mmCIF file of all heavy atoms in Angstrom:
data_model
loop_
_atom_site.group_PDB
_atom_site.id
_atom_site.type_symbol
_atom_site.label_atom_id
_atom_site.label_comp_id
_atom_site.label_asym_id
_atom_site.label_seq_id
_atom_site.Cartn_x
_atom_site.Cartn_y
_atom_site.Cartn_z
ATOM 1 N N ILE A 677 13.116 -1.238 -4.493
ATOM 2 C CA ILE A 677 14.032 -2.389 -3.932
ATOM 3 C C ILE A 677 13.193 -3.097 -3.082
ATOM 4 O O ILE A 677 12.696 -2.705 -1.924
ATOM 5 C CB ILE A 677 15.263 -1.787 -3.236
ATOM 6 C CG1 ILE A 677 16.112 -1.121 -4.200
ATOM 7 C CG2 ILE A 677 15.942 -2.972 -2.541
ATOM 8 C CD1 ILE A 677 17.354 -0.484 -3.636
ATOM 9 N N VAL A 679 12.644 -6.509 -0.701
ATOM 10 C CA VAL A 679 13.346 -7.448 0.158
ATOM 11 C C VAL A 679 12.349 -8.367 0.769
ATOM 12 O O VAL A 679 11.422 -7.822 1.588
ATOM 13 C CB VAL A 679 14.272 -6.875 1.152
ATOM 14 C CG1 VAL A 679 14.969 -7.952 1.970
ATOM 15 C CG2 VAL A 679 15.332 -6.018 0.521
ATOM 16 N N LEU A 684 16.025 -13.855 1.125
ATOM 17 C CA LEU A 684 17.086 -13.023 1.643
ATOM 18 C C LEU A 684 18.493 -13.488 1.278
ATOM 19 O O LEU A 684 18.691 -14.709 1.168
ATOM 20 C CB LEU A 684 16.901 -12.919 3.113
ATOM 21 C CG LEU A 684 17.702 -11.874 3.967
ATOM 22 C CD1 LEU A 684 17.285 -10.516 3.577
ATOM 23 C CD2 LEU A 684 17.528 -12.040 5.435
ATOM 24 N N LEU A 688 23.367 -12.671 4.578
ATOM 25 C CA LEU A 688 22.705 -12.064 5.781
ATOM 26 C C LEU A 688 21.947 -13.112 6.533
ATOM 27 O O LEU A 688 21.890 -12.956 7.833
ATOM 28 C CB LEU A 688 21.732 -11.051 5.258
ATOM 29 C CG LEU A 688 22.335 -9.754 4.537
ATOM 30 C CD1 LEU A 688 21.250 -8.879 3.895
ATOM 31 C CD2 LEU A 688 23.017 -8.919 5.723
ATOM 32 N N HIS A 692 22.691 -13.305 10.580
ATOM 33 C CA HIS A 692 21.640 -12.899 11.541
ATOM 34 C C HIS A 692 20.988 -14.234 12.052
ATOM 35 O O HIS A 692 20.234 -14.142 13.062
ATOM 36 C CB HIS A 692 20.631 -11.965 10.959
ATOM 37 C CG HIS A 692 21.169 -10.622 10.727
ATOM 38 N ND1 HIS A 692 21.178 -9.588 11.656
ATOM 39 C CD2 HIS A 692 21.735 -10.046 9.660
ATOM 40 C CE1 HIS A 692 21.765 -8.476 11.257
ATOM 41 N NE2 HIS A 692 22.091 -8.746 9.924
ATOM 42 N N ALA A 695 15.662 -14.459 9.161
ATOM 43 C CA ALA A 695 15.176 -13.232 8.423
ATOM 44 C C ALA A 695 14.608 -12.257 9.453
ATOM 45 O O ALA A 695 13.382 -11.984 9.526
ATOM 46 C CB ALA A 695 14.116 -13.565 7.351
ATOM 47 N N THR A 696 15.491 -11.731 10.262
ATOM 48 C CA THR A 696 15.065 -10.826 11.301
ATOM 49 C C THR A 696 14.771 -9.436 10.751
ATOM 50 O O THR A 696 15.208 -9.168 9.576
ATOM 51 C CB THR A 696 16.190 -10.729 12.366
ATOM 52 O OG1 THR A 696 17.314 -10.068 11.719
ATOM 53 C CG2 THR A 696 16.556 -12.091 12.937
ATOM 54 N N PRO A 697 14.180 -8.560 11.565
ATOM 55 C CA PRO A 697 14.040 -7.209 11.108
ATOM 56 C C PRO A 697 15.269 -6.562 10.635
ATOM 57 O O PRO A 697 15.378 -5.791 9.731
ATOM 58 C CB PRO A 697 13.227 -6.501 12.242
ATOM 59 C CG PRO A 697 12.632 -7.630 13.057
ATOM 60 C CD PRO A 697 13.428 -8.842 12.841
ATOM 61 N N GLN A 698 16.352 -6.798 11.453
ATOM 62 C CA GLN A 698 17.604 -6.160 11.212
ATOM 63 C C GLN A 698 18.211 -6.620 9.891
ATOM 64 O O GLN A 698 18.762 -5.874 9.096
ATOM 65 C CB GLN A 698 18.652 -6.445 12.284
ATOM 66 C CG GLN A 698 18.283 -5.800 13.728
ATOM 67 C CD GLN A 698 17.085 -6.545 14.437
ATOM 68 O OE1 GLN A 698 16.677 -7.700 14.069
ATOM 69 N NE2 GLN A 698 16.552 -5.905 15.483
ATOM 70 N N ALA A 699 17.988 -7.949 9.625
ATOM 71 C CA ALA A 699 18.495 -8.448 8.415
ATOM 72 C C ALA A 699 17.725 -8.015 7.163
ATOM 73 O O ALA A 699 18.402 -7.621 6.173
ATOM 74 C CB ALA A 699 18.457 -10.081 8.410
ATOM 75 N N LEU A 700 16.462 -7.856 7.233
ATOM 76 C CA LEU A 700 15.718 -7.334 6.149
ATOM 77 C C LEU A 700 16.035 -5.778 5.886
ATOM 78 O O LEU A 700 16.234 -5.457 4.751
ATOM 79 C CB LEU A 700 14.206 -7.398 6.447
ATOM 80 C CG LEU A 700 13.623 -8.810 6.655
ATOM 81 C CD1 LEU A 700 12.189 -8.828 7.175
ATOM 82 C CD2 LEU A 700 13.568 -9.513 5.269
ATOM 83 N N ALA A 701 16.110 -5.038 6.881
ATOM 84 C CA ALA A 701 16.453 -3.676 6.724
ATOM 85 C C ALA A 701 17.983 -3.559 6.174
ATOM 86 O O ALA A 701 18.163 -2.702 5.348
ATOM 87 C CB ALA A 701 16.416 -2.909 8.087
ATOM 88 N N GLU A 702 18.898 -4.339 6.736
ATOM 89 C CA GLU A 702 20.244 -4.265 6.281
ATOM 90 C C GLU A 702 20.362 -4.580 4.732
ATOM 91 O O GLU A 702 21.076 -3.970 4.012
ATOM 92 C CB GLU A 702 21.072 -5.260 7.041
ATOM 93 C CG GLU A 702 22.589 -5.178 6.691
ATOM 94 C CD GLU A 702 23.423 -6.102 7.532
ATOM 95 O OE1 GLU A 702 23.053 -6.429 8.721
ATOM 96 O OE2 GLU A 702 24.562 -6.427 7.132
ATOM 97 N N SER A 703 19.584 -5.552 4.298
ATOM 98 C CA SER A 703 19.526 -5.903 2.934
ATOM 99 C C SER A 703 19.101 -4.820 2.014
ATOM 100 O O SER A 703 19.801 -4.469 1.021
ATOM 101 C CB SER A 703 18.683 -7.237 2.662
ATOM 102 O OG SER A 703 18.611 -7.454 1.364
ATOM 103 N N ALA A 704 17.989 -4.152 2.420
ATOM 104 C CA ALA A 704 17.471 -3.062 1.602
ATOM 105 C C ALA A 704 18.476 -1.893 1.590
ATOM 106 O O ALA A 704 18.738 -1.262 0.527
ATOM 107 C CB ALA A 704 16.148 -2.635 2.176
ATOM 108 N N LEU A 705 19.105 -1.567 2.757
ATOM 109 C CA LEU A 705 19.932 -0.372 2.930
ATOM 110 C C LEU A 705 21.264 -0.685 2.075
ATOM 111 O O LEU A 705 21.918 0.296 1.539
ATOM 112 C CB LEU A 705 20.259 -0.059 4.316
ATOM 113 C CG LEU A 705 19.031 0.521 5.099
ATOM 114 C CD1 LEU A 705 19.409 0.612 6.538
ATOM 115 C CD2 LEU A 705 18.650 1.771 4.412
ATOM 116 N N TRP A 706 21.735 -1.879 2.103
ATOM 117 C CA TRP A 706 22.932 -2.297 1.304
ATOM 118 C C TRP A 706 22.670 -2.070 -0.193
ATOM 119 O O TRP A 706 23.569 -1.383 -0.900
ATOM 120 C CB TRP A 706 23.226 -3.790 1.601
ATOM 121 C CG TRP A 706 24.244 -4.348 0.528
ATOM 122 C CD1 TRP A 706 23.962 -5.104 -0.515
ATOM 123 C CD2 TRP A 706 25.641 -4.182 0.576
ATOM 124 N NE1 TRP A 706 25.156 -5.423 -1.191
ATOM 125 C CE2 TRP A 706 26.199 -4.869 -0.487
ATOM 126 C CE3 TRP A 706 26.538 -3.436 1.428
ATOM 127 C CZ2 TRP A 706 27.506 -4.844 -0.761
ATOM 128 C CZ3 TRP A 706 27.819 -3.396 1.093
ATOM 129 C CH2 TRP A 706 28.402 -4.210 0.018
ATOM 130 N N GLU A 707 21.532 -2.486 -0.664
ATOM 131 C CA GLU A 707 21.243 -2.160 -2.116
ATOM 132 C C GLU A 707 21.098 -0.753 -2.435
ATOM 133 O O GLU A 707 21.597 -0.250 -3.459
ATOM 134 C CB GLU A 707 20.000 -2.943 -2.541
ATOM 135 C CG GLU A 707 20.114 -4.428 -2.430
ATOM 136 C CD GLU A 707 21.173 -5.098 -3.231
ATOM 137 O OE1 GLU A 707 21.622 -4.552 -4.224
ATOM 138 O OE2 GLU A 707 21.636 -6.247 -2.831
ATOM 139 N N CYS A 708 20.485 -0.009 -1.482
ATOM 140 C CA CYS A 708 20.402 1.459 -1.769
ATOM 141 C C CYS A 708 21.799 2.107 -1.821
ATOM 142 O O CYS A 708 22.055 2.985 -2.603
ATOM 143 C CB CYS A 708 19.548 2.146 -0.582
ATOM 144 S SG CYS A 708 17.783 1.730 -0.552
ATOM 145 N N ILE A 721 11.495 1.715 -1.041
ATOM 146 C CA ILE A 721 11.885 0.392 -0.403
ATOM 147 C C ILE A 721 10.659 -0.331 0.080
ATOM 148 O O ILE A 721 9.745 0.249 0.563
ATOM 149 C CB ILE A 721 12.832 0.694 0.857
ATOM 150 C CG1 ILE A 721 14.007 1.386 0.426
ATOM 151 C CG2 ILE A 721 13.206 -0.674 1.536
ATOM 152 C CD1 ILE A 721 15.034 1.713 1.618
ATOM 153 N N ALA A 722 10.706 -1.631 -0.148
ATOM 154 C CA ALA A 722 9.669 -2.537 0.519
ATOM 155 C C ALA A 722 10.305 -3.721 1.122
ATOM 156 O O ALA A 722 11.083 -4.487 0.507
ATOM 157 C CB ALA A 722 8.681 -2.990 -0.614
ATOM 158 N N VAL A 723 10.158 -3.857 2.387
ATOM 159 C CA VAL A 723 10.648 -5.047 3.125
ATOM 160 C C VAL A 723 9.404 -5.858 3.639
ATOM 161 O O VAL A 723 8.542 -5.228 4.314
ATOM 162 C CB VAL A 723 11.533 -4.703 4.281
ATOM 163 C CG1 VAL A 723 12.879 -4.209 3.770
ATOM 164 C CG2 VAL A 723 10.914 -3.741 5.238
ATOM 165 N N LYS A 724 9.302 -7.038 3.275
ATOM 166 C CA LYS A 724 8.091 -7.801 3.599
ATOM 167 C C LYS A 724 8.424 -9.195 4.377
ATOM 168 O O LYS A 724 9.411 -9.683 4.142
ATOM 169 C CB LYS A 724 7.299 -8.163 2.297
ATOM 170 C CG LYS A 724 6.779 -6.947 1.526
ATOM 171 C CD LYS A 724 5.863 -7.374 0.459
ATOM 172 C CE LYS A 724 5.313 -6.111 -0.223
ATOM 173 N NZ LYS A 724 4.358 -6.475 -1.348
ATOM 174 N N THR A 730 7.246 -8.525 12.624
ATOM 175 C CA THR A 730 8.564 -8.540 11.982
ATOM 176 C C THR A 730 8.706 -7.447 10.884
ATOM 177 O O THR A 730 9.603 -6.682 10.809
ATOM 178 C CB THR A 730 8.949 -9.904 11.399
ATOM 179 O OG1 THR A 730 8.956 -10.863 12.479
ATOM 180 C CG2 THR A 730 10.338 -9.830 10.786
ATOM 181 N N MET A 731 7.584 -7.328 10.159
ATOM 182 C CA MET A 731 7.508 -6.348 9.069
ATOM 183 C C MET A 731 7.560 -4.899 9.682
ATOM 184 O O MET A 731 8.228 -4.029 9.183
ATOM 185 C CB MET A 731 6.286 -6.618 8.218
ATOM 186 C CG MET A 731 5.959 -5.582 7.133
ATOM 187 S SD MET A 731 4.867 -4.345 7.863
ATOM 188 C CE MET A 731 4.116 -3.632 6.438
ATOM 189 N N ALA A 733 8.772 -3.991 12.595
ATOM 190 C CA ALA A 733 10.023 -3.680 13.208
ATOM 191 C C ALA A 733 11.095 -3.308 12.144
ATOM 192 O O ALA A 733 11.826 -2.372 12.229
ATOM 193 C CB ALA A 733 10.578 -4.775 13.987
ATOM 194 N N ALA A 734 10.989 -4.060 10.954
ATOM 195 C CA ALA A 734 11.972 -3.796 9.857
ATOM 196 C C ALA A 734 11.701 -2.334 9.388
ATOM 197 O O ALA A 734 12.617 -1.595 9.016
ATOM 198 C CB ALA A 734 11.829 -4.796 8.801
ATOM 199 N N ASN A 735 10.418 -1.973 9.143
ATOM 200 C CA ASN A 735 10.155 -0.618 8.644
ATOM 201 C C ASN A 735 10.516 0.483 9.516
ATOM 202 O O ASN A 735 10.831 1.524 9.202
ATOM 203 C CB ASN A 735 8.635 -0.550 8.198
ATOM 204 C CG ASN A 735 8.363 -1.121 6.872
ATOM 205 O OD1 ASN A 735 8.578 -0.489 5.801
ATOM 206 N ND2 ASN A 735 8.075 -2.385 6.825
ATOM 207 N N ARG A 736 10.391 0.142 10.885
ATOM 208 C CA ARG A 736 10.804 1.171 11.828
ATOM 209 C C ARG A 736 12.297 1.465 11.735
ATOM 210 O O ARG A 736 12.683 2.596 11.820
ATOM 211 C CB ARG A 736 10.382 0.712 13.251
ATOM 212 C CG ARG A 736 8.918 1.061 13.536
ATOM 213 C CD ARG A 736 8.478 0.506 14.877
ATOM 214 N NE ARG A 736 7.178 0.973 15.252
ATOM 215 C CZ ARG A 736 6.442 0.504 16.263
ATOM 216 N NH1 ARG A 736 6.933 -0.513 16.968
ATOM 217 N NH2 ARG A 736 5.235 1.026 16.482
ATOM 218 N N ILE A 737 13.063 0.422 11.535
ATOM 219 C CA ILE A 737 14.579 0.521 11.417
ATOM 220 C C ILE A 737 14.807 1.384 10.241
ATOM 221 O O ILE A 737 15.635 2.318 10.158
ATOM 222 C CB ILE A 737 15.110 -0.841 11.334
ATOM 223 C CG1 ILE A 737 15.095 -1.591 12.595
ATOM 224 C CG2 ILE A 737 16.702 -0.649 10.912
ATOM 225 C CD1 ILE A 737 15.468 -3.084 12.509
ATOM 226 N N LEU A 738 14.094 1.038 9.080
ATOM 227 C CA LEU A 738 14.407 1.800 7.838
ATOM 228 C C LEU A 738 13.950 3.320 8.068
ATOM 229 O O LEU A 738 14.688 4.177 7.553
ATOM 230 C CB LEU A 738 13.599 1.254 6.689
ATOM 231 C CG LEU A 738 14.070 -0.131 6.239
ATOM 232 C CD1 LEU A 738 12.992 -0.782 5.275
ATOM 233 C CD2 LEU A 738 15.458 0.007 5.445
ATOM 234 N N ALA A 739 12.938 3.545 8.759
ATOM 235 C CA ALA A 739 12.419 4.914 8.902
ATOM 236 C C ALA A 739 13.437 5.750 9.710
ATOM 237 O O ALA A 739 13.569 6.905 9.525
ATOM 238 C CB ALA A 739 11.127 4.905 9.658
ATOM 239 N N GLN A 741 16.826 5.129 9.571
ATOM 240 C CA GLN A 741 18.120 5.117 9.079
ATOM 241 C C GLN A 741 18.068 5.670 7.573
ATOM 242 O O GLN A 741 19.242 5.797 6.970
ATOM 243 C CB GLN A 741 18.663 3.658 9.058
ATOM 244 C CG GLN A 741 18.827 3.169 10.512
ATOM 245 C CD GLN A 741 19.610 1.857 10.505
ATOM 246 O OE1 GLN A 741 20.297 1.498 9.498
ATOM 247 N NE2 GLN A 741 19.593 1.164 11.603
ATOM 248 N N CYS A 742 16.964 6.019 6.955
ATOM 249 C CA CYS A 742 16.993 6.470 5.609
ATOM 250 C C CYS A 742 15.806 7.451 5.385
ATOM 251 O O CYS A 742 14.866 7.436 6.204
ATOM 252 C CB CYS A 742 17.026 5.437 4.498
ATOM 253 S SG CYS A 742 15.432 4.541 4.415
#
Side-chain angles (χ1 to χ4, degrees):
I677 294 175
V679 176
L684 195 62
L688 290 172
H692 293 274
T696 64
Q698 294 77 14
L700 294 170
E702 183 178 339
S703 176
L705 293 172
W706 166 259
E707 299 300 336
C708 288
I721 299 175
V723 292
K724 296 189 176 182
T730 300
M731 173 270 204
N735 277 279
R736 281 177 166 164
I737 293 171
L738 290 170
Q741 298 189 18
C742 74

